Amino acid sequence: MKYYLIVGEASGDLHASHLMAALKEEDPQAEFRFFGGDLMAAVGGTMVKHYKELAYMGFIPVLLHLRTIFANMKRCKEDIVAWQPDVLILVDYPGFNLGIAKFVHAHTSIPVYYYISPKIWAWKEYRIKNIKRDVDELFSILPFEVEFFEGKHQYPIHYVGNPTMDEVTAFSTSYTETFDDFVQANGLSSRPIIALLAGSRKQEIKDNLPDMLRAAAAFPDYQLVLAGAPGISPEYYERYVGDADVKIIFGKTFPLLRQADAALVTSGTATLETALFRVPQAVCYHTPIGKVIAFLRRHILTVKYISLVNLIANREVVKELVADTMTVEQIRSELERILYNKEYRQQMLGGYEYMASRLGEAGAPKRAAQEMVALLKEKSIA
């Protein structure tokens, strides 16, 4: 069959590449065409556009690039219609993908599948109307989404497990590097490591990294190692690092987490990865108008937590320092607890085990691919 996929950022490229590989196992004659990235291209098929040409985040960047965004959307719609795939698979990136879903549903008979559902439970819940109307099958990677979509909105979905579990499990089974090997290979000292994961977008790095560095500098017995994000240049980091004693390493986030004693992490998939590596962490998410955001969290936002770890566990496993609570002093205080309070560390690690049990076993891309192919075969028979 012919599969058309659309992703809008690096994490989507990663997850979609694994899904494509799993689809090839189920359907050896699979053909792929996609708006995606290098990892997807490595699996095979035709890349129409690289996600880096799509990824504009934030109100002002989107406003400044509206012409490009509309041109990309027009090209995408025309390309889907011209290629006539057996299925359109959308991966996260709802601002773009839900617009494509609306068009495809209205103007074609191509089924629309959504892998890694939009996080409408946190914000823009009204989008459920679009999903019900335009998406034929939704594949969720977060267990609490089942109750949200099926219980609250009577929209049946497929929970397939979480691909981050697959990625961490696959890495851990093949990784043999010792701490000494790691520090020697990366020009580090022999001191234990505090890992800094300051986000994957420039705005996140700008907002979070300076305070993370100031807080972590209070622990000279530890060395600070910053995980460089894909697509962010060393020069960009240098703007916010200044003369801080920190080492930046690129393309080695998993090895870094495997060797770290603690981590300061900006909210996102990185919080889940850190937990699955069993590294005690503090979640740090600065917002420029902290008190306003704090008010919105208390009175408007529909979720209690911002980190995937706490959302999956449905309780506070890790401390979230967000908006008006993210200060250098609070980060420093929380870091001190996770480094030196053994009981507190153990409690967090126990919470990680509970969270992992709720995620389920590895195998999300394979389960998603099996269900997708089975559904498409049923449709072709009908």
Side-chain angles (χ1 to χ4, degrees):
M1 289 182 282
K2 294 163 67 176
Y3 303 83
Y4 200 111
L5 296 93
I6 306 173
V7 313
E9 52 192 356
S11 62
D13 181 29
L14 175 66
H15 296 320
S17 70
H18 292 160
L19 176 64
M20 288 165 63
L23 285 167
K24 283 179 78 170
E25 288 184 15
E26 300 300 315
D27 178 7
Q29 303 305 311
E31 295 179 55
F32 299 111
R33 192 171 175 89
F34 50 87
F35 275 46
D38 301 335
L39 297 174
M40 296 168 73
V43 178
T46 302
M47 186 193 302
V48 182
K49 283 268 186 181
H50 200 288
Y51 69 81
K52 289 179 182 176
E53 297 180 59
L54 311 177
Y56 301 108
M57 307 299 297
F59 180 74
I60 299 299
V62 167
L63 207 59
L64 292 174
H65 294 91
L66 274 178
R67 181 179 290 183
T68 303
I69 291 167
F70 286 135
N72 284 333
M73 192 166 276
K74 182 173 183 287
R75 170 79 193 281
C76 186
K77 291 172 182 176
E78 291 171 349
D79 197 59
I80 291 167
V81 171
W83 199 54
Q84 283 296 302
D86 292 284
V87 63
L88 170 66
I89 302 174
L90 308 172
V91 183
D92 204 358
Y93 202 54
F96 188 91
N97 276 337
L98 286 175
I100 298 297
K102 181 179 180 180
F103 170 85
V104 170
H105 173 79
H107 297 281
T108 78
S109 60
I110 299 164
V112 178
Y113 290 4
Y114 217 122
Y115 179 60
I116 306 184
S117 51
K119 298 172 181 62
I120 63 169
W121 36 264
W123 195 248
K124 299 184 179 179
E125 190 169 347
Y126 62 83
R127 281 176 164 170
I128 187 65
K129 294 178 182 177
N130 305 61
I131 291 171
K132 283 183 171 182
R133 182 190 64 215
D134 302 326
V135 176
D136 296 283
E137 304 288 345
L138 191 151
F139 299 82
S140 164
I141 64 168
L142 296 168
F144 59 84
E145 289 183 333
V146 177
E147 173 56 30
F148 175 82
F149 284 105
E150 296 189 350
K152 186 174 182 180
H153 292 289
Q154 292 76 55
Y155 178 71
I157 68 172
H158 309 267
Y159 176 66
V160 295
N162 195 288
T164 303
M165 177 71 84
D166 291 71
E167 290 146 18
V168 171
T169 301
F171 172 83
S172 297
T173 54
S174 61
Y175 184 71
T176 58
E177 195 174 34
T178 66
F179 179 81
D180 289 342
D181 292 337
F182 177 76
V183 297
Q184 187 172 351
N186 293 285
L188 302 172
S189 75
S190 59
R191 288 174 293 165
I193 293 170
I194 296 173
L196 306 178
L197 285 75
S200 58
R201 300 178 185 130
K202 287 184 175 180
Q203 188 65 43
E204 289 176 331
I205 294 162
K206 174 180 175 290
D207 289 341
N208 292 290
L209 183 56
D211 282 354
M212 285 177 162
L213 287 168
R214 280 193 283 270
F219 303 91
D221 292 341
Y222 290 81
Q223 59 183 323
L224 310 184
V225 184
L226 172 62
I232 306 293
S233 68
E235 292 74 25
Y236 186 80
Y237 281 110
E238 292 300 335
R239 295 187 202 175
Y240 305 104
V241 167
D243 58 0
D245 185 12
V246 60
K247 176 81 172 183
I248 308 171
I249 58 175
F250 289 87
K252 296 184 178 180
T253 301
F254 279 12
L256 171 60
L257 287 173
R258 183 66 179 267
Q259 303 297 347
D261 273 29
L264 298 178
V265 187
T266 294
S267 184
T269 305
T271 63
L272 180 55
E273 292 170 342
T274 303
L276 291 175
F277 276 104
R278 305 323 194 250
V279 182
Q281 66 182 300
V283 176
C284 309
Y285 202 84
H286 172 83
T287 53
I289 45 173
K291 290 184 179 178
V292 175
I293 299 298
F295 174 85
L296 291 174
R297 284 192 76 207
R298 289 193 297 271
H299 299 285
I300 297 176
L301 295 182
T302 55
V303 291
K304 290 185 289 186
Y305 307 109
I306 66 156
S307 69
L308 287 176
V309 178
N310 291 345
L311 284 164
I312 294 164
N314 196 29
R315 61 183 171 90
E316 187 180 76
V317 174
V318 297
K319 187 75 171 176
E320 297 180 351
L321 304 172
V322 186
D324 57 336
T325 64
M326 184 181 157
T327 64
V328 172
E329 187 50 48
Q330 294 227 41
I331 300 170
R332 189 180 294 138
S333 175
E334 182 61 16
L335 192 51
E336 185 173 12
R337 290 178 78 191
I338 62 178
L339 287 173
Y340 300 121
N341 187 325
K342 290 182 180 180
E343 185 179 342
Y344 186 67
R345 281 177 69 93
Q346 204 54 47
Q347 182 182 331
M348 190 178 293
L349 293 172
Y352 285 171
E353 296 303 325
Y354 173 69
M355 181 217 67
S357 72
R358 294 201 69 191
L359 274 182
E361 295 180 0
K366 184 174 181 64
R367 284 189 288 273
Q370 288 173 336
E371 292 191 28
M372 287 179 183
V373 171
L375 287 163
L376 290 168
K377 285 180 177 176
E378 282 177 26
K379 185 176 184 294
S380 65
I381 293 169

